[in-house]
Amino acid sequence: MTGAADPQHQQHQRLAQLRANLATVERRVADACAAAGRARDGVTLIVVTKTYPASDVRLLSSLGVRDVAENRDQDAGPKAAECHDLPLAWHFVGQLQTNKVRSVLKYADMVHSVDRIRLVDALSVEVQKSERPELGCLIQVALEGGPEPGATHRGGALPDQVLPLAEALADAPGLRLDGVMAVAPLRGRYAGDPAGAFARLAEIASLVHRQHPAATMVSAGMSGDLEQAIAAGATHVRVGTAVLGVRPPLG
Ligand SMILES: *Cc1c(COP(=O)(O)O)cnc(C)c1O
């Protein structure tokens, strides 16, 4: 077979596209680090592969990507299983129901979206029951305020709940408190102001860090706002669209 319908040709094209997109993102990250007077190696790129197939994860791995993220267990589980031979760290970044915890712990190296005590307890119990190593956890901070009736809640603990949650997490067997995570909010006082949102996250991160010196991670910034996140001190950016392309709307 030759030409555009040849699967091998398609994989080749996809590889070239991913390589080019990664180079563009890498340039943006490097420029943002330089502009902020930060070392490039102070920021880790996590590629968010949600909705994209395991074949893309495999290509990304061949291009040197070491960290990938997923937000839905039903997609992530099979994908991670297909890619178990690859040297990848899997980050779970979606809202996590307690009934999915056991499944997520089979492949996730880190969970970025810990936002309530019930979830801390469930994660701790299941890690202890399993053979797996300690789970790295970030507390997701909601910067838009509480959920409004009818609004889609993107998850996260309110800022005043973060320190008590950090305390609980730090004390929970099997869990390791690594830092904080946020998504720039679409509503509330920081809507349209990712720089303001990430500055607020940085304040919260430093409060957590003061009490828990090993909690140094700040996971913030996506395709549209990674520069603002890096300027505000993000240590991990989570980039999907800018590497893999625009996702079809979720059903
Ligand atoms: C999808 C997703 C991202 C990546 O967003 P892009 O805009 O595609 O870069 C980052 N973080 C979380 C929590 C996500 O769900």
Side-chain angles (χ1 to χ4, degrees):
M1 259 194 303
T2 54
D6 179 351
Q8 219 171 328
H9 176 76
Q10 282 174 4
Q11 281 300 91
H12 200 77
Q13 297 274 309
R14 184 62 171 152
L15 181 67
Q17 185 177 54
L18 293 175
R19 181 186 283 119
N21 291 350
L22 271 177
T24 302
V25 169
E26 172 52 37
R27 169 57 62 88
R28 286 177 61 191
V29 171
D31 286 352
C33 287
R38 299 182 55 192
R40 170 64 190 89
D41 66 7
V43 178
T44 300
L45 171 67
I46 300 172
V47 179
V48 183
T49 48
K50 65 186 183 200
T51 77
Y52 286 96
S55 56
D56 278 348
V57 177
R58 200 161 279 283
L59 293 174
L60 289 167
S61 176
S62 78
L63 292 168
V65 168
R66 289 294 167 260
D67 292 271
V68 294
E70 288 283 328
N71 74 334
R72 293 214 293 196
D73 176 59
Q74 54 272 49
D75 302 327
K79 208 185 291 188
E82 262 186 79
C83 296
H84 75 274
D85 58 313
L86 303 174
L88 291 168
W90 290 80
H91 301 254
F92 191 85
V93 300
Q95 281 186 261
L96 181 50
Q97 304 306 316
T98 50
N99 64 356
K100 296 280 167 52
V101 159
R102 188 176 309 178
S103 173
V104 166
L105 289 175
K106 290 188 182 134
Y107 56 87
D109 296 284
M110 297 222 37
V111 172
H112 290 224
S113 44
V114 179
D115 60 358
R116 59 200 190 280
I117 294 281
R118 252 172 66 77
L119 183 55
V120 170
D121 292 342
L123 286 166
S124 178
V125 165
E126 292 299 333
V127 171
Q128 287 175 273
K129 278 196 213 161
S130 73
E131 308 266 283
R132 58 157 295 137
E134 208 171 43
L135 178 73
C137 294
L138 304 182
I139 294 176
Q140 183 179 352
V141 186
L143 296 169
E144 61 267 61
E148 281 160 19
T152 316
H153 186 46
R154 303 179 91 183
L158 294 174
D160 65 359
Q161 299 166 343
V162 171
L163 281 178
L165 203 50
E167 203 61 49
L169 223 165
D171 288 344
L175 308 186
R176 186 182 67 238
L177 173 64
D178 284 336
V180 296
M181 176 273 225
V183 176
L186 298 173
R187 58 187 178 80
R189 63 183 292 204
Y190 296 115
D193 177 19
F198 296 141
R200 178 74 181 115
L201 180 66
E203 284 175 11
I204 295 166
S206 88
L207 291 175
V208 171
H209 183 243
R210 198 172 304 164
Q211 310 225 347
H212 306 276
T216 54
M217 281 181 63
V218 180
S219 166
M222 318 198 304
S223 294
D225 54 23
L226 67 88
E227 284 84 1
Q228 289 90 339
I230 289 171
T235 62
H236 292 69
V237 293
R238 308 176 309 269
V239 179
T241 308
V243 173
L244 289 139
V246 177
R247 288 179 293 275
L250 290 177

